[in-house]
C-alpha cells in the first residue's frame, strides 16, 4: 500500500494540478468537532479539480468521500483511510426569471441572500439551515414541513463512470431526509431550483420569522453538534411524530456518555460537551435507541451520518 500511496500523491498533483494534504484532522471540518485524521485531504475550488480528483480516486481504487460544511457528519475517531474532498465550489447564477443554478459547494446562506437580493421567493424555509447545497440535496434537508427537493428542477451529477449527467427531480426519489444520492454515491455538481417572483420586503420578513422560530427550538449555532440526531419516526397510522417526544419520555435530557451529552433543552440533539469521542456519541445514541425501542417499540433512525474510518463501498 505504501508505494501505491506515493504514486497516488504524485499522480494527484499531475492529474489535478494541486497537491494533496496528508494526515489532516477531520475534527476541524465537522461541526461536531470530533474525528481523527484522514490519510488524504483536498479542497476543490473549481469544477475541474473536483471532477478530476474523483476520477483519479476511482481509477486508483482510493476510497473517497465528499463533504460540504460538515454540519451533518460524525467522523470516526480513527479518521478516514482514503481521500476526503471538501467541496468549496461556490457559484450562483440566475438562469432565467424563475430559476437559479447553484454549484453544490455554495453555502445555503449565500443562496438565501441571493434570493433576497433578486426578490425570488420559495427558499425562505431553508433560512438558518447550516451547510452547502450539496449536503442539503443529499439529505433532502428542510424545515417547517418543506424540503429542498420540493424546489429542485434539475441537477448535474458526476456518476460512477466519471461522466457528467443532467437529471431531473424524479431521479432523486426525494422523501423525508432522503435522496437517491444516499444509495448511489454519485457526486452532485450543481442544481437548478425553481422559485417564484416575490416582494423583497415580504421575503425578508418571512425569513426573519422563520429564524425567530428556529431560535426557540434549536441550540445556539456555536454548540458542537450535527443537528437533529434522529429522524422523526412515522407511525403505522402515517403520523410523523417528533423523535424528541419519545426521547424526552425515556429520560434522554439527563443522559451523558463520556464527553457527549443530550442537549438539556432539546432531547433530539447530541452535543459534544467536552472532548467527546465518536465512540461516546455512538454509545449514547445506541442507548437512546434501545430505550425508545423498549418503551415504545419504535426503531429510531439516525439523521446524522457516521463515516467509518474503513469505508465499505465507494
Ligand atoms: C445547528 C444545526 C441545525 C440544523 N438544522 C437543520 C434543519 O433544520 N433541517 C435539516 O434538514 N438539517 C439541519 N441540520 C443538518 C445540516 O445542516 C444539513 O444536513 C445540511 O444539509 C448539511 O450540509 P453540509 O454541507 O454541511 O453537508 P455535510 O455534513 O458536509 O455532508 C452531509 C452528507 O452530504 C454528502 N454530500 C455533501 N456534498 C455532496 C455533493 N456535492 N454530492 C454528493 N454528496 C454530498 C456528504 O457526503 C455527506 O454524506 C442542522 C445542523 C446543525 C448543526
Amino acid at each position: 500500500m505504501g508505494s501505491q500511496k506515493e504514486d497516488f500523491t504524485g499522480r494527484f498533483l499531475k492529474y489535478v494540478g494541486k497537491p494533496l494534504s496528508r494526515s489532516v484532522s477531520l475534527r476541524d471540518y465537522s461541526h461536531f468537532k470530533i474525528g481523527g485524521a484522514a490519510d488524504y485531504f483536498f479542497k476543490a475550488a473549481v469544477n475541474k479539480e473536483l471532477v478530476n480528483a474523483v476520477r483519479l480516486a476511482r481509477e486508483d481504487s482510493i476510497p473517497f468521500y465528499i463533504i460540504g460544511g460538515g454540519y451533518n457528519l460524525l467522523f470516526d475517531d480513527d479518521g478516514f483511510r482514503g481521500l476526503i474532498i471538501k467541496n468549496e465550489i461556490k457559484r450562483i447564477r440566475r438562469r432565467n426569471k424563475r430559476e437559479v443554478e447553484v454549484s453544490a459547494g455554495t453555502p445555503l446562506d449565500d443562496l438565501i441572500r441571493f434570493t433576497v437580493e433578486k426578490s425570488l421567493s420559495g427558499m425562505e424555509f431553508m433560512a438558518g439551515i447550516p451547510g452547502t447545497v450539496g449536503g442539503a440535496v443529499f439529505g433532502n434537508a428542510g424545515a417547517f414541513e418543506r424540503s429542498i427537493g420540493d424546489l429542485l428542477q434539475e441537477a448535474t451529477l458526476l456518476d460512477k463512470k466519471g461522466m457528467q449527467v443532467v437529471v431531473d427531480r424524479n431521479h432523486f426519489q426525494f422523501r423525508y431526509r432522503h435522496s437517491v444520492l444516499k444509495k448511489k454515491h454519485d457526486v452532485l455538481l450543481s442544481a437548478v431550483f425553481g422559485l417564484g417572483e416575490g416582494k423583497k420586503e415580504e421575503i425578508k420578513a418571512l425569513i426573519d420569522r422563520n429564524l425567530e422560530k428556529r431560535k426557540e427550538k434549536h441550540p445556539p449555532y456555536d454548540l458542537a453538534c450535527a443537528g437533529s440526531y434522529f429522524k422523526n419516526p412515522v407511525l403505522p397510522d402515517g403520523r410523523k411524530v417528533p423523535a424528541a417526544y419519545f426521547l424526552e419520555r425515556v429520560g434522554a435530557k439527563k443522559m451523558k456518555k463520556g464527553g457527549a451529552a443530550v442537549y438539556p433543552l432539546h432531547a433530539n440533539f447530541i452535543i459534544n460537551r467536552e472532548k467527546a469521542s465518536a465512540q461516546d456519541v455512538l454509545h449514547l445514541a445506541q442507548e437512546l435507541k434501545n430505550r425508545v425501542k423498549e418503551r415504545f417499540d419504535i426503531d429510531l433512525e439516525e439523521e446524522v451520518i457516521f463515516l467509518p474510518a474503513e469505508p465499505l463501498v465507494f
Side-chain angles (χ1 to χ4, degrees), residues 21-308:
S21 301
R22 307 269 309 247
S23 198
V24 171
S25 168
L26 292 175
R27 80 183 288 283
D28 300 335
Y29 295 96
S30 141
H31 197 62
F32 237 139
K33 298 283 167 242
I34 293 173
D39 289 348
Y40 304 115
F41 187 92
F42 180 67
K43 289 181 185 173
V46 294
N47 233 32
K48 208 169 161 209
E49 291 173 1
L50 177 63
V51 169
N52 286 347
V54 169
R55 282 184 182 151
L56 184 67
R58 286 214 164 107
E59 217 173 286
D60 284 14
S61 302
I62 300 286
F64 71 92
Y65 197 77
I66 308 286
I67 64 168
Y71 286 99
N72 206 25
L73 279 171
L74 174 62
F75 291 120
D76 200 324
D77 297 316
D78 291 333
F80 186 68
R81 302 289 72 77
L83 166 65
I84 297 286
I85 303 173
K86 180 165 161 56
N87 183 1
E88 293 196 335
I89 306 162
K90 301 165 195 172
R91 185 164 183 261
I92 312 175
R93 160 180 103 84
R94 193 166 182 174
R95 199 159 81 149
N96 56 44
K97 254 187 175 180
R98 290 166 171 260
E99 286 182 333
V100 287
E101 186 173 11
V102 195
S103 295
T106 307
L108 290 169
D109 269 3
D110 291 5
L111 175 57
I112 300 288
R113 215 172 300 123
F114 182 89
T115 60
V116 174
E117 263 166 35
K118 306 288 178 203
S119 303
L120 289 165
S121 67
M123 262 298 162
E124 297 88 339
F125 67 94
M126 292 295 292
I129 301 180
T132 63
V133 167
V137 172
F138 178 92
N140 196 16
F144 309 114
E145 299 303 317
R146 300 207 55 203
S147 308
I148 196 155
D150 303 345
L151 301 171
L152 188 139
Q153 305 284 333
E154 69 172 53
T156 305
L157 303 176
L158 184 65
D159 72 8
K160 279 223 163 104
K161 294 182 199 130
M163 301 299 287
Q164 295 188 37
V165 291
V166 177
V167 295
D168 66 10
R169 180 188 302 151
N170 292 333
H171 173 87
F172 286 90
Q173 300 167 20
F174 285 121
R175 47 177 205 271
Y176 170 60
R177 299 295 178 268
H178 178 85
S179 84
V180 76
L181 296 178
K182 288 196 169 179
K183 282 199 247 156
K184 279 201 161 175
H185 299 291
D186 288 342
V187 178
L188 183 84
L189 296 177
S190 63
V192 174
F193 298 107
L195 300 166
E197 290 171 279
K199 292 205 175 85
K200 191 177 280 189
E201 289 317 311
E202 286 174 13
I203 295 168
K204 261 196 201 156
L206 182 50
I207 287 176
D208 288 345
R209 279 206 298 281
N210 288 345
L211 290 175
E212 273 308 308
K213 281 189 211 157
R214 288 181 68 86
K215 251 196 227 159
E216 287 162 21
K217 291 203 302 187
H218 287 258
Y221 282 102
D222 53 2
L223 209 63
C225 70
S228 300
Y229 202 91
F230 297 105
K231 295 179 190 171
N232 294 328
V234 181
L235 303 186
D237 63 9
R239 270 183 309 140
K240 197 158 72 182
V241 182
Y245 172 90
F246 302 105
L247 290 163
E248 266 176 39
R249 281 156 183 79
V250 298
K253 283 180 173 174
K254 291 200 178 111
M255 285 172 63
K256 293 185 177 80
K257 171 77 190 169
V262 174
Y263 183 55
L265 302 178
H266 195 308
N268 196 17
F269 281 80
I270 293 181
I271 58 170
N272 176 0
R273 203 170 42 105
E274 207 197 349
K275 295 187 184 149
S277 64
Q279 283 308 313
D280 290 341
V281 174
L282 293 173
H283 280 134
L284 182 56
Q286 190 56 52
E287 177 60 21
L288 292 166
K289 284 174 83 167
N290 293 347
R291 288 192 184 188
V292 169
K293 177 72 179 169
E294 214 168 90
R295 170 117 179 245
F296 297 103
D297 196 25
I298 283 172
D299 292 297
L300 287 181
E301 219 185 291
E302 287 79 359
E303 185 171 326
V304 171
I305 300 156
F306 172 62
L307 179 66

